[in-house]
């Protein structure tokens, strides 16, 4: 039975429970870098990197660009916005048609200098005569922000393509250094140990074979890092196909791989519910990482979906891994805004973050195909507030472009909520919400930055479009497809 799953990927990079990746606490800006996760300029505010991997650069279509919304007292992008391409000074390579610079992103302090750096995948970069060989570049953080860059060497360029299709930062062996996991179009994950240098050095490398099915062209869809078992090491959720043969679309599978003193391992792996996008945060406040999985496709006789219009599952963490029970939430669940309708894609994107400062990770969920006031696929973001036993039955939020304060207006095919990302960008201790609208204005794309008011997300958002980023409107840039920080 064929299972026609989502075959293009937008991600919600893990922003919490990074297993010792960065241990510094939030505070006001000082002369020394803050050490905060995602703080590229070290000023004490978390920043947000946003992909536009289909952007045209100097006339080259789909060359790709990455925009950085620097945090400040006013939130992400209120004071400084920077856009990087392969034509930016010091960034390796040259912008070429189809490179897809920014096809995946992962923030981490790879060289241990206290400034967060950004790993950028260019999964369709031609490497010499190797078409679509793929490349990964680390763009370095500094007091002035991201600048320059160093390529990460592909260990086996002749055995795969699309190196850098997915990248994930974490301290997988618990040594206090940020490691980098990289996948290509096969079952292998290459893990580079922390200790990166600007001359191309690393702390070593090892690889493992993920327990997903080998499907020619694309085996691993997504990697979600976070510390589930509270041992100080980052664990990894790996997503891919699972089925009867490589010749068909198959059921989707997620596997939990624990970190260890020697790094990531398949020993002790745990199979998790199906779904493409996942994140790790502490939803019930017990200190263990919980795994949220978005299963956005519909239920039915020919679908692996669990609910009409899509659903999310939360699997709770314990000292022995993700085995503390699970809950399922959809738009017909009590207290969840909206109504479950076919093809809403509820769960297309998910992101954990503590919006109200109660020590529990709240959840933002994208439903980019939600019809709003009769407008097809205008899109919606659901914000669920976490409790010790699940999510609140009152006080949750549904945000769309027809809600007062939200910039713009709901239009057909906008896909508001095509990306969601929770992080504290104004250093008030509460997670703020950044939303991608990748199909806005005929796929130009757009971003909306919302702040937390200490209790919930304030609907009065700030719109950021191509004009503010300097990205060309030629072609279909799809600004807001992916975020990290």
């Amino acid at each position: 039975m064929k299972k026609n799953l989502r075959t293009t990927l937008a991600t919600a990079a893990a922003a919490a429970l990074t297993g010792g990746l960065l241990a510094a606490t939030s505070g006001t800006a000082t002369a020394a870098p803050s050490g905060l996760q995602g703080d590229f300029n070290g000023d004490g505010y978390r920043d947000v990197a946003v992909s536009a991997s289909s952007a045209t650069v100097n006339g080259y279509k789909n060359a790709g660009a990455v925009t950085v919304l620097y945090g400040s007292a006013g939130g992400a992008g209120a004071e400084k916005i920077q856009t990087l391409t392969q034509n930016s000074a010091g960034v390796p390579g040259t912008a070429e048609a189809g490179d897809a610079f920014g096809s995946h992103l992962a923030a981490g302090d790879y060289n241990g200098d206290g400034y967060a750096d950004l790993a950028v995948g260019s999964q369709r970069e031609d490497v010499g005569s190797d078409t679509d060989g793929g490349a990964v570049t680390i763009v370095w953080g500094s007091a002035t922000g991201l600048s320059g860059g160093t390529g990460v060497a592909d260990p086996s360029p002749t055995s795969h393509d699309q190196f850098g299709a997915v990248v994930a930062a974490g301290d997988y062996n618990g040594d206090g250094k940020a490691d980098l996991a990289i996948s290509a179009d096969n079952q292998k994950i290459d893990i580079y140990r922390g200790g990166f240098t600007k001359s191309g050095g690393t702390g070593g490398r090892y690889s493992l074979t993920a327990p997903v099915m080998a499907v020619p062209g694309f085996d691993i869809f997504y990697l979600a890092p976070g510390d589930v078992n509270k041992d100080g090491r980052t664990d990894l959720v790996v997503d891919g196909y699972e089925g009867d043969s490589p010749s068909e679309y198959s059921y989707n599978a997620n596997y939990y791989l624990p970190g260890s003193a020697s790094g990531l391992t398949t020993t002790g792996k745990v199979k998790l519910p199906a779904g493409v996008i996942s994140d790790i945060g502490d939803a019930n406040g017990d200190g263990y990482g919980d795994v949220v999985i978005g299963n956005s496709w519909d239920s039915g006789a020919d679908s692996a979906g669990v609910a009409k219009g899509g659903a999310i599952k939360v699997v709770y963490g314990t000292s022995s891994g993700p085995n503390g029970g699970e809950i399922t939430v959809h738009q017909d669940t009590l207290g969840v805004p909206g109504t479950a309708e076919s093809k809403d894609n509820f769960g297309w994107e998910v992101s954990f973050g503590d919006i109200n400062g109660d020590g529990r990770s709240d959840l933002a969920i994208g439903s980019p195909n939600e019809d709003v006031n009769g407008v097809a696929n205008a899109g919606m973001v659901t914000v669920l507030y976490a409790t010790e036993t699940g999510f609140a039955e009152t006080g949750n939020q549904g945000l769309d472009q027809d809600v007062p304060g939200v910039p713009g207006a709901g239009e057909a095919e906008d896909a508001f909520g095509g990306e969601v990302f929770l992080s504290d960008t104004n250093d008030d201790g509460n997670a703020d919400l950044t939303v991608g609208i990748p199909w806005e204005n005929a796929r130009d794309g757009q971003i909306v930055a919302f702040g937390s008011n200490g209790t919930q997300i304030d609907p009065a958002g700030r719109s950021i479009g191509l004009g503010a980023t300097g990205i060309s409107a030629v072609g279909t840039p799809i600004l807001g497809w992916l975020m990290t920080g």
Side-chain angles (χ1 to χ4, degrees):
M1 181 183 297
K2 292 187 177 181
K3 305 296 173 187
N4 189 8
L5 305 186
R6 171 183 176 183
T7 56
T8 55
L9 181 66
T11 75
L17 294 162
T18 49
L21 174 58
L22 291 166
T25 57
S26 176
T28 56
T30 64
S34 72
L36 280 173
Q37 171 72 19
D39 184 2
F40 302 121
N41 60 357
D43 65 354
Y45 298 102
R46 288 186 61 178
D47 310 314
V48 181
V50 183
S51 167
S53 60
S54 297
T56 297
V57 179
N58 279 9
Y60 294 102
K61 292 185 177 180
N62 303 316
V66 175
T67 290
V68 183
L69 310 177
Y70 285 91
S72 67
E79 296 184 7
K80 180 180 179 180
I81 297 174
Q82 175 190 24
T83 293
L84 296 161
T85 73
Q86 286 184 292
N87 285 354
S88 298
V91 176
T94 302
E96 300 166 314
D99 282 350
F101 181 77
S103 54
H104 213 275
L105 307 171
D109 183 5
Y110 299 112
N111 61 355
D113 65 356
Y115 296 100
D117 311 305
L118 185 66
V120 182
S122 307
Q123 71 180 77
R124 296 197 180 277
E125 175 91 20
D126 293 345
V127 182
S129 61
D130 184 7
T131 302
D132 294 341
V136 175
T137 301
I138 296 179
V139 185
W140 302 106
S142 72
T144 57
L146 290 175
S147 63
T150 303
V152 179
D154 184 345
S156 50
T158 61
S159 64
H160 59 231
D161 282 329
Q162 299 184 42
F163 180 68
V166 187
V167 291
D171 183 3
Y172 301 114
N173 60 358
D175 66 354
K177 300 177 182 178
D179 309 319
L180 180 61
I182 302 175
S183 74
D185 65 348
N186 56 17
Q187 295 167 286
K188 296 285 187 181
I189 304 173
D190 289 298
I191 300 96
Y192 295 77
R193 298 187 188 277
F196 291 80
T197 67
K198 293 185 179 181
S199 61
T202 72
R205 182 190 60 82
Y206 61 99
S207 65
L208 55 81
T209 300
V212 296
M213 193 173 90
V215 178
F218 208 159
D219 294 346
I220 296 173
F221 289 135
Y222 189 55
L223 303 172
D227 186 2
V228 172
N229 57 7
K230 202 167 61 171
D231 66 352
R233 304 181 182 104
T234 305
D235 311 310
L236 193 67
V237 175
V238 180
D239 179 82
Y241 278 133
E242 181 176 72
D244 298 327
S245 73
S247 62
E248 64 177 14
Y249 290 107
S250 307
Y251 284 108
N252 182 259
N254 286 283
Y255 282 92
Y256 161 82
L257 306 183
S260 71
S262 58
L264 286 172
T265 176
T266 57
T267 301
K269 69 179 183 291
V270 177
K271 186 177 180 181
L272 299 172
V276 175
I277 297 299
S278 57
D279 196 9
I280 299 174
D282 185 6
N284 58 2
D286 65 357
Y288 296 101
D290 308 314
V291 183
V292 60
I293 297 170
N295 186 316
S296 63
W297 51 90
D298 284 289
S299 60
D302 192 42
S303 174
V306 296
K308 184 178 182 180
I312 62 100
K313 285 181 177 285
V314 177
V315 184
Y316 290 97
T318 72
S319 60
S320 56
N323 54 17
E326 67 180 61
I327 61 171
T328 301
V329 178
H330 46 75
Q331 285 186 294
D332 284 342
T333 300
L334 181 65
V336 177
T339 302
E341 301 163 315
S342 294
K343 300 180 180 179
D344 280 348
N345 282 134
F346 180 84
W348 175 269
E349 282 297 337
V350 293
S351 182
F352 268 134
D354 184 0
I355 295 167
N356 53 16
D358 65 356
R360 293 186 287 266
S361 297
D362 308 306
L363 183 62
I365 304 167
S367 308
N369 285 4
E370 178 85 22
D371 295 350
V372 178
N373 295 330
V375 178
N377 302 332
M380 174 180 174
V381 173
T382 301
V383 182
L384 302 181
Y385 291 91
T387 73
E388 291 182 1
T389 57
F391 294 100
E393 295 181 355
T394 60
N396 297 314
Q397 293 177 274
L399 300 172
D400 60 64
Q401 288 185 289
D402 285 351
V403 171
V406 177
E411 299 168 315
E413 312 302 331
D414 275 356
F416 181 87
E419 171 67 305
V420 294
F421 186 65
L422 286 169
S423 63
D424 180 10
T425 60
N426 62 1
D427 192 35
D428 66 354
N430 303 308
D432 308 303
L433 174 64
T434 310
V435 174
I437 320 174
W439 284 273
E440 177 86 17
N441 296 330
R443 301 198 177 193
D444 281 354
Q446 190 170 322
I447 310 157
V448 179
F450 297 93
S452 166
N453 63 16
T455 301
Q456 63 175 7
I457 295 297
D458 184 347
R462 182 165 26 83
S463 180
I464 301 166
L466 295 183
T469 67
I471 294 174
S472 171
V474 173
T476 54
I478 316 184
L479 175 67
W481 178 246
L482 184 151
M483 299 177 192
T484 192

